[in-house]
Amino acid sequence: MDVLLNDDENLIVDSAREFLTGECSTKLVREMEADALGYSRELWAKVAELGWQGMCMPEKVGGSDMPLVYLGLVLREAGRALAPIPLHSTAVATLAVARDGTAAQQEKYLPDVVAGKSVWTWAFTERDPRFVPEAVQMSATARGDNYALDGVKLFVDNFPQADYCVVVARTTAGSKGAQGLSLFIVDAKSKGISQKPLITLAKDKQSEVTFQDVLVPKANIIGAAGEGWPIVERMLDRGTALLCAQMVGAARKDIEMAIEYAKFRTAFGQPIGSFQSVQHTCADMQMWVDGGELLTFEALWKIDQGLPASVEVSQAKAFCNEKCEAAVRNSQSIHGGIGFMMEFDLQLWFRRVSAWTMRMGTSFEHRARIAHALIDIPGEVTLGRPLPAAA
Amino acid sequence: MDVLLNDDENLIVDSAREFLTGECSTKLVREMEADALGYSRELWAKVAELGWQGMCMPEKVGGSDMPLVYLGLVLREAGRALAPIPLHSTAVATLAVARDGTAAQQEKYLPDVVAGKSVWTWAFTERDPRFVPEAVQMSATARGDNYALDGVKLFVDNFPQADYCVVVARTTAGSKGAQGLSLFIVDAKSKGISQKPLITLAKDKQSEVTFQDVLVPKANIIGAAGEGWPIVERMLDRGTALLCAQMVGAARKDIEMAIEYAKFRTAFGQPIGSFQSVQHTCADMQMWVDGGELLTFEALWKIDQGLPASVEVSQAKAFCNEKCEAAVRNSQSIHGGIGFMMEFDLQLWFRRVSAWTMRMGTSFEHRARIAHALIDIPGEVTLGRPLPAAA
Amino acid sequence: MDFAYSAEQEALRREVRQFIKENVTPELADEANPESDVERPRGQGPMAAALYKKIYDRGWLGITYPKEYGGQGGDRLTQYIVEEEFTRAGINITLGGSGAPAIMAAGTEEQKQYYIPRLIKREVSFCLGFTEPHAGADLANLRCSAVRDGDDYVINGQKMYTSAAHMSTHIYLMARTDRNAPKHEGISIFLFPMDTPGITVRPLWTIQNNPTAPVGTTYGNSRTNETFFDDVRIHKSCLLGEENKGWRVGSMGLNLDRVGASRYLISVRRDEDIVNWVKNNRFDGYSPAENPAIRDKIAEMWIEAQVCRLMTMRSMSIVERGGKFTYEGSAEKVWAPEHGVRVTEAITQMLGPYTTLLRTSAHAIEDGVFAHNVMGSFQSGINHGSVQVMRDQVARRGLELPSSRRPKKVEAK
Amino acid sequence: MDFAYSAEQEALRREVRQFIKENVTPELADEANPESDVERPRGQGPMAAALYKKIYDRGWLGITYPKEYGGQGGDRLTQYIVEEEFTRAGINITLGGSGAPAIMAAGTEEQKQYYIPRLIKREVSFCLGFTEPHAGADLANLRCSAVRDGDDYVINGQKMYTSAAHMSTHIYLMARTDRNAPKHEGISIFLFPMDTPGITVRPLWTIQNNPTAPVGTTYGNSRTNETFFDDVRIHKSCLLGEENKGWRVGSMGLNLDRVGASRYLISVRRDEDIVNWVKNNRFDGYSPAENPAIRDKIAEMWIEAQVCRLMTMRSMSIVERGGKFTYEGSAEKVWAPEHGVRVTEAITQMLGPYTTLLRTSAHAIEDGVFAHNVMGSFQSGINHGSVQVMRDQVARRGLELPSSRRPKKVEAK
């Protein structure tokens, strides 16, 4: 038991931070907000050289086979720098392939991922925004060696720049809930796919993606047809925990800016940071981000250990949703008017952290999941001990 | 529209406060905590002379037929002074008789109430603590001119000292929910009734009351047999709003003590009330009690006007439950150790306000009631306008 | 105690609603709203001008101002009712900030006769020149100077966040007239046209600038400005009140600006929106309105909104009786803005990713109003007296808690 | 990063649990608990004495103290694990506050050899004589005096909230030895027996006094004391550390008392209680566990409890690495006590009137633990450094925000 970073982990953090400090200015972040594809191809290539895309990929495809915690630390730094690269969506999608795909799929797709030559994303949500199996209506109808996908996905991250998209659909017509779901590796440029941009306050790339009779080879199913839900759950848990890592990284930088601002901005003859109300607000902000960070990395660590981690993931996300938002909103307030100005950098963090709090599960959803594990499974609960049965 | 007190209302408040300042010391409050019946018979007789018990009783029984708002103001003052008299339980029970009882019932029972010669209470709750009709299981079986009552009531206020108790029971065997309920005026000394004290943190008188084949004349039903639920609802709404009035009165006095304490208690060379964190806490306490008071008197005022007021009552109670508790707990914190000592008076208010926040409906119950009115009844809602249809 | 409006007041409200129903088309509300097009002068599109003429003819502009100055000699409650209905419809019928009340309180007869009728008819509009780069919460720290030179004053300096400066006819400016006097005692107020030579207005874009926010989203505007004064020469008659006595005049105006219909509504209208949305909409198989945890949160927010409403009613009651606030206005200015943030953030978790979508996006809910509010709702806790300063005032004025050993408390913007 | 205990540590935990299962009967836990009978000397009933002997024999008392002083030379994490399990069972295995660490840090060899083994064997116990009527949060304001007279000191004054003074063998006292020195520089620490002539202990009853609270309810005790010193003469060897250097010694001890198993558990065990209760109980036809709004609140509280746990783990990790806190201990001491209050108040609204019922009442839930907690949970935010002072420390030490223009910040109780 030692929840602090060890030497290897510190090395990862230091080198990522040093790299991004040099390579990822807010000027670049702003440019990429206006960019058609929304990401820096140059930066994407450079981080591939650093091995970020391959960090948790198997060695046989050129990856480093490192723990997810390491990728979490890198995403924390990417969040801190608001690095305009599609690392999160690529990681979510390709980790599903790496963990649950066939050897053939891995050999076919992952070397390019590791080399930084492809961008990936994933598509789960449709009209119902919840991360429950009932929310998936998209149909995948067997037709010869293919499935034909029909339906509309919403809030697909980085779709315009993606080469491949892992899509969740119903392979069993008329199936309900967790039954009959499958994951497909879909070429994002397939015939029958069209996308419409969604305009978000984060100014990032989110899409509505329509699938009309899109043919996908049967070989592209991840796992067994119709039995995809456990794979989806693992994909979402990993993705949610990694999103939290990105969020606490961004929120940390954001509150650091407010704390620094409070030290030099004066009012009534003294730094505003000397007023007890501002001090206590800053103390709260620090503790909120600390709390989110501890919860997040416990979740990632448990996934690495192969332990049940759904409750931990939901703890992290529900907490980050509320407390990271509170933290960055208080940063805005401490800055007063200037924080509200486009030309001042703080808003770059505020808008992204806010958007991330609304994605990959609301606080209500995640708390319902926790309550289920705590209450509905018989046995006595004790804090710090595993729950009575896997949630 | 003028939400401030008018001259008549101020007169009520001033005279009640002056009276209680003279007649109700904390010494008396403490003595009555140890008293077998828990209330001052002398004080009860004196407030009868002032007309408190008869304030909202009809003129024909000797009452003053004043609005409920006036009684609310008196209960606010009684709460402020922690007056050890069974005024709330008596008002809840006898107002049901005065509003929904027969002329004969009113003539028989109410003159003694107005004269301060009888103490009343009411009994609704059984094992299920919610204020919903399903919670009532007690049976009332017709037998000749009587009903026989069987069952156990919990959390009956002031039962040992009560002469009469308004009891809610099921007159229709096998009925469910709001159907088949009736209210009975029961002589508290009837054969078959036994009571067991419940020991509460407020050190007041709450009882478990067991009814075994207790015979009550059919003439003692309030309203039509089996159709009592609307009468019960009105009784509970009045009682809840009056409890809120008592609670905001007590909470107001409690926070005034903390604010005064903060002015003279020094630490680090200055009054603790000069620290911004203490100032802001005090400001919050003031605003919380103000909010509770405004919500409470709007609810009472609407009842007086014959307008639908259930939502307003629930607003007041849910808010007071959380904010009055927060206010008095912060008073304790501002006082530090001394507030935790029995010999210091502050705790007298803290314990009672806390207990009241747990009675007559939890925040969850009241908010569910509000949500039902807001969401389940079609039509557009607008703040400050009546809801689409009566809740 | 009386929690209802009179029959007369209710009749007025119905009349205003009927007027709005008949006259305020979506296109017009959009045109009239200064946030709908950042470059178009405020409320001066042709449809809006015609509408304001109609509203003026009904006697609903400048209600509380004396008839001799073009007002109606009416009471604040009447004004409140009218303002509430128009604000909800996205139409701003106020005289635009604290200039007019300050003129009524401190102006010369000539100033009153010139400005008040024109403000009411919307021929004149003020932007507020108070804040500076180093004078925000600590407004009295301002540096912009006005130096007497014969019959003129010469103004030099910079003002920040001069919202609407690019579309106002005049400025209501606070400047330093005595460098040697104590902080609060060398300040004066001036009124003068924005086309006076030497004034430069530069846009500052806010985080709500692209795309612009829907009507009445938040206090945040999509554009504000910084305004520079370079040897701006104005006649001494532009002085409002006495020289070096401007601090009190300015504060008084700000105090009045902390209460009222639009500030109340900005903080609570999302409560109405979310209830009305969930009760009429669903996401395919999922209805947030059926989730009891969400219902619980909606009710909690609704109760808070009622407290905001009742605090506003309390302020109106005090004003109607001719009384003065000790802390009640400040309390309202803590409670409502903080509630506005709480309800905004609660909604993000009720609607999830839909709350990220802005006005022009496919699938945006209610024209993206909730998303825009996420970006702007906290502004209401900063503008016109931060919630920190307001809490200080509740504690010190309302509860008479002692000042700490810090520089003397001041009235701050 | 490693969020799990080692196999060895897990084995130890199982061993402790097994020991508790075999040895801690309800009667014994009750006897051993100082709150169960306000008049019985702390943990000195015959059953408790036998139990502590057994625990001592297992090597679970004084784990972190060097073997030469009767301890085990173990690490803090081992101690944490053992302490957590015993605390949950209602058995206090700490050495009772900050006396022992202070002696280890500042005591003479003679003092260490005398006190430490006896504290570990529970032959000696300290009460804490720090707070005075006018020295609470501002502890350095204390007035109790110790005047040197030959080889002795003579003590005069009054101490407040000397909990357990009536059943302790010794006192760990902070007194002023130099009236003329600056506030923090004239203070010294003394250790001496409570049966020294001139000491009077008077009970102060707390709001939890009747009936007494169940095991481990809150930090609030049913009895505390005020203790008077009237020409109490003690030998100069009772001085701990140097004369006039007592402030640092005292503060160090308090800092250590802000983290650890019992402070963590006191704030989070109600989370376990409420979950375990609702999942196994119902009120006739109504099950709070089936109410999604209540479930949502339970989950919210559970997450907060996990944050408390992880902050404790973080502190332990820092200590294990031999590091020092900048703000982490203070953060823990804000977060956990405030969470303790939040969960307590949330439970009042889950169980309604049942939460008003005290231990001896019919229908009391879980021995009335929730009701007792209502009365006492806020105490944890006041004791040993209020949450206000702790937030000041997070801001100033952790974030290096500047002090305001107030008297110098001090380490406060």
Side-chain angles (χ1 to χ4, degrees), chain C residues 11-20 23 54-64 72 78-79 82-83 86 93-95 120:
Chain C
L12 171 66
R13 189 186 290 277
R14 279 193 300 275
E15 202 186 329
V16 176
R17 294 195 152 190
Q18 187 58 31
F19 176 91
I20 288 169
N23 292 281
K54 270 194 188 177
I55 299 174
Y56 175 77
D57 290 343
R58 294 294 281 261
W60 291 335
L61 295 179
I63 289 172
T64 58
Q72 299 294 323
T78 302
Q79 185 199 27
V82 175
E83 197 180 317
F86 276 107
I93 61 149
T94 67
L95 304 198
I120 292 172

Side-chain angles (χ1 to χ4, degrees), chain D residues 31-174:
Chain D
E31 186 205 52
N33 177 55
E35 294 177 37
S36 68
D37 181 335
V38 294
E39 296 302 337
R40 186 193 305 137
R42 178 177 193 138
Q44 291 186 11
M47 282 191 288
L51 176 70
Y52 280 117
K53 175 71 170 60
K54 272 193 186 176
I55 300 173
Y56 176 78
D57 290 343
R58 295 294 280 263
W60 291 335
L61 295 180
I63 289 171
T64 58
Y65 289 85
K67 292 199 170 171
E68 61 265 43
Y69 302 115
Q72 300 293 325
D75 59 29
R76 295 260 304 181
L77 202 48
T78 303
Q79 184 199 27
Y80 177 87
I81 291 166
V82 175
E83 198 181 318
E84 187 184 348
E85 295 303 324
F86 276 107
T87 302
R88 222 178 231 117
I91 305 292
N92 179 3
I93 60 147
T94 68
L95 304 198
S98 51
I103 292 169
M104 280 307 298
T108 61
E109 190 53 38
E110 205 183 336
Q111 286 171 330
K112 289 187 212 174
Q113 284 186 5
Y114 180 81
Y115 282 111
I116 303 297
R118 285 173 178 78
L119 282 164
I120 291 172
K121 289 192 184 164
R122 306 181 83 81
E123 296 165 4
V124 157
S125 59
F126 283 120
C127 63
L128 186 68
F130 275 27
T131 305
E132 298 183 7
H134 293 278
D138 184 9
L139 180 59
N141 201 32
L142 62 85
R143 298 173 190 175
C144 179
S145 70
V147 178
R148 186 68 181 264
D149 180 26
D151 276 353
D152 295 340
Y153 285 93
V154 179
I155 314 243
N156 278 287
Q158 179 192 356
K159 290 288 174 184
M160 285 288 277
Y161 313 132
T162 47
S163 299
H166 59 299
M167 46 187 190
S168 299
T169 63
H170 289 66
I171 187 164
Y172 170 59
L173 181 93
M174 192 178 262

Side-chain angles (χ1 to χ4, degrees), chain B residues 125-130 137 152 154-155 196-203 206 208 265-270 274-278 281 317 321-322 325-326 329-330 332-343 347 350-351 354-364 367, chain D residues 132-138 160-161 183 204-211 218 220-221 224 226 277 282-286 291 293-294 297 341 345-346 348-358 360-363 371-372 374-376 378-379 382 388-389 406-408 410 412:
Chain B
T125 302
E126 300 172 16
R127 176 72 182 146
D128 178 346
R130 294 173 304 157
Q137 301 296 328
V152 179
L154 284 183
F155 302 106
K196 185 155 66 172
L198 301 175
I199 316 299
T200 77
L201 55 82
K203 296 185 192 258
Q206 300 270 306
E208 173 186 0
R265 171 78 182 180
T266 59
F268 308 108
Q270 54 188 324
S274 71
F275 289 99
Q276 203 181 22
S277 70
V278 175
T281 301
K317 189 59 167 55
N321 283 356
E322 314 225 317
E325 178 67 16
R329 188 233 314 144
N330 274 300
Q332 294 294 123
S333 297
I334 286 169
H335 277 84
I338 194 77
F340 198 53
M341 297 302 119
M342 267 293 178
E343 66 180 25
Q347 49 88 10
F350 174 56
R351 289 187 289 104
S354 291
W356 297 339
T357 69
M358 305 175 215
R359 292 182 188 160
M360 300 205 78
T362 66
S363 307
F364 292 108
R367 288 196 295 254
Chain D
E132 298 183 7
H134 293 278
D138 184 9
M160 285 288 277
Y161 313 132
K183 201 161 143 179
L204 285 173
W205 300 104
T206 78
I207 64 179
Q208 294 193 320
N209 84 330
N210 179 22
T218 70
N221 288 303
T224 181
E226 47 187 348
W277 195 87
R282 51 194 303 128
F283 298 114
D284 273 354
Y286 170 62
N291 180 335
I294 288 177
K297 179 60 78 175
V341 168
E345 295 184 359
T348 67
Q349 300 305 314
M350 294 177 197
L351 305 180
Y354 290 99
T355 330
T356 65
L357 301 179
L358 297 176
T360 53
S361 180
H363 299 284
H372 286 275
V374 168
M375 288 192 292
F378 72 93
Q379 276 289 315
I382 297 169
Q388 284 79 21
V389 173
R406 286 193 320 212
K408 205 175 153 302
V410 291

Side-chain angles (χ1 to χ4, degrees), chain D residues 328-381:
Chain D
E328 296 85 352
S330 306
E332 208 182 318
K333 180 66 177 60
V334 170
W335 194 262
E338 292 190 345
H339 167 72
V341 168
R342 281 193 292 269
V343 67
T344 296
E345 295 184 359
I347 291 168
T348 67
Q349 300 305 314
M350 294 177 197
L351 305 180
Y354 290 99
T355 330
T356 65
L357 301 179
L358 297 176
R359 193 181 197 193
T360 53
S361 180
H363 299 284
I365 291 180
E366 296 280 284
D367 223 8
V369 71
F370 300 125
H372 286 275
N373 226 48
V374 168
M375 288 192 292
S377 63
F378 72 93
Q379 276 289 315
S380 182

Side-chain angles (χ1 to χ4, degrees), chain A residues 257-292:
Chain A
M257 288 187 275
I259 292 160
E260 282 312 302
Y261 186 78
K263 287 176 188 171
F264 82 83
R265 170 78 182 179
T266 59
F268 309 107
Q270 53 189 324
I272 61 171
S274 71
F275 289 98
Q276 204 182 20
S277 69
V278 174
Q279 293 191 341
H280 285 197
T281 300
C282 288
D284 283 333
M285 290 154 70
Q286 176 81 354
M287 294 187 281
W288 293 333
V289 177
D290 283 4

Side-chain angles (χ1 to χ4, degrees), chain A residues 158-324:
Chain A
N158 298 323
F159 193 82
Q161 58 266 53
D163 299 294
Y164 296 95
C165 180
V166 171
V167 178
V168 182
R170 288 202 177 274
T171 40
T172 310
S175 65
K176 300 270 179 218
Q179 303 303 314
L181 292 173
S182 305
L183 296 86
F184 292 90
I185 300 169
V186 179
D187 184 327
K189 310 292 180 264
S190 302
K191 190 159 167 282
I193 293 181
S194 60
Q195 74 93 26
K196 183 156 68 172
L198 301 174
I199 317 299
T200 76
L201 55 83
K203 295 182 193 258
D204 57 2
K205 301 297 168 203
Q206 301 271 306
S207 299
E208 173 186 0
V209 183
T210 302
F211 294 74
Q212 275 190 307
D213 205 27
V214 175
L215 294 182
V216 182
K218 284 188 171 168
N220 283 22
I221 290 190
I222 303 174
E227 292 170 19
W229 178 247
I231 301 173
V232 173
E233 258 196 321
R234 288 194 290 272
M235 175 176 84
L236 293 175
D237 273 346
R238 276 190 300 266
T240 305
L242 291 172
L243 182 60
C244 289
Q246 192 172 289
M247 200 172 355
V248 295
R252 175 78 67 195
K253 173 67 183 173
D254 185 284
I255 69 168
E256 284 175 8
M257 288 187 275
I259 292 160
E260 282 312 302
Y261 186 78
K263 287 176 188 171
F264 82 83
R265 170 78 182 179
T266 59
F268 309 107
Q270 53 189 324
I272 61 171
S274 71
F275 289 98
Q276 204 182 20
S277 69
V278 174
Q279 293 191 341
H280 285 197
T281 300
C282 288
D284 283 333
M285 290 154 70
Q286 176 81 354
M287 294 187 281
W288 293 333
V289 177
D290 283 4
E293 191 166 68
L294 287 162
L295 289 167
T296 297
F297 282 91
E298 183 173 47
L300 287 165
W301 184 87
K302 286 205 165 183
I303 294 174
D304 275 333
Q305 305 303 308
L307 296 169
S310 294
V311 168
E312 284 74 11
V313 168
S314 287
Q315 288 171 173
K317 189 60 167 55
F319 189 86
C320 288
N321 282 356
E322 313 227 319
K323 301 306 189 203
C324 287

Side-chain angles (χ1 to χ4, degrees), chain A residues 56-204:
Chain A
C56 298
M57 294 290 118
E59 288 185 13
K60 63 178 179 198
V61 299
S64 320
D65 216 2
M66 285 175 167
L68 203 58
V69 161
Y70 287 28
L71 183 58
L73 291 170
V74 163
L75 272 161
R76 195 184 75 176
E77 294 309 310
R80 182 180 175 87
L82 305 180
I85 47 174
L87 183 58
H88 181 267
S89 69
T90 298
V92 173
T94 59
L95 277 163
V97 177
R99 297 288 186 271
D100 293 297
T102 62
Q105 288 167 346
Q106 294 175 13
E107 280 158 30
K108 177 171 178 192
Y109 296 111
L110 298 184
D112 272 4
V113 172
V114 172
K117 289 182 189 155
S118 65
V119 169
W120 285 57
T121 190
W122 54 283
F124 176 88
T125 302
E126 300 174 18
R127 175 71 183 147
D128 178 346
R130 295 173 304 157
F131 287 85
V132 292
E134 302 88 284
V136 178
Q137 300 296 328
M138 173 175 273
S139 67
T141 316
R143 193 182 301 160
D145 285 344
N146 295 315
Y147 278 92
L149 271 53
D150 282 281
V152 180
K153 292 287 182 185
L154 284 184
F155 303 106
V156 185
D157 201 20
N158 298 323
F159 193 82
Q161 58 266 53
D163 299 294
Y164 296 95
C165 180
V166 171
V167 178
V168 182
R170 288 202 177 274
T171 40
T172 310
S175 65
K176 300 270 179 218
Q179 303 303 314
L181 292 173
S182 305
L183 296 86
F184 292 90
I185 300 169
V186 179
D187 184 327
K189 310 292 180 264
S190 302
K191 190 159 167 282
I193 293 181
S194 60
Q195 74 93 26
K196 183 156 68 172
L198 301 174
I199 317 299
T200 76
L201 55 83
K203 295 182 193 258
D204 57 2

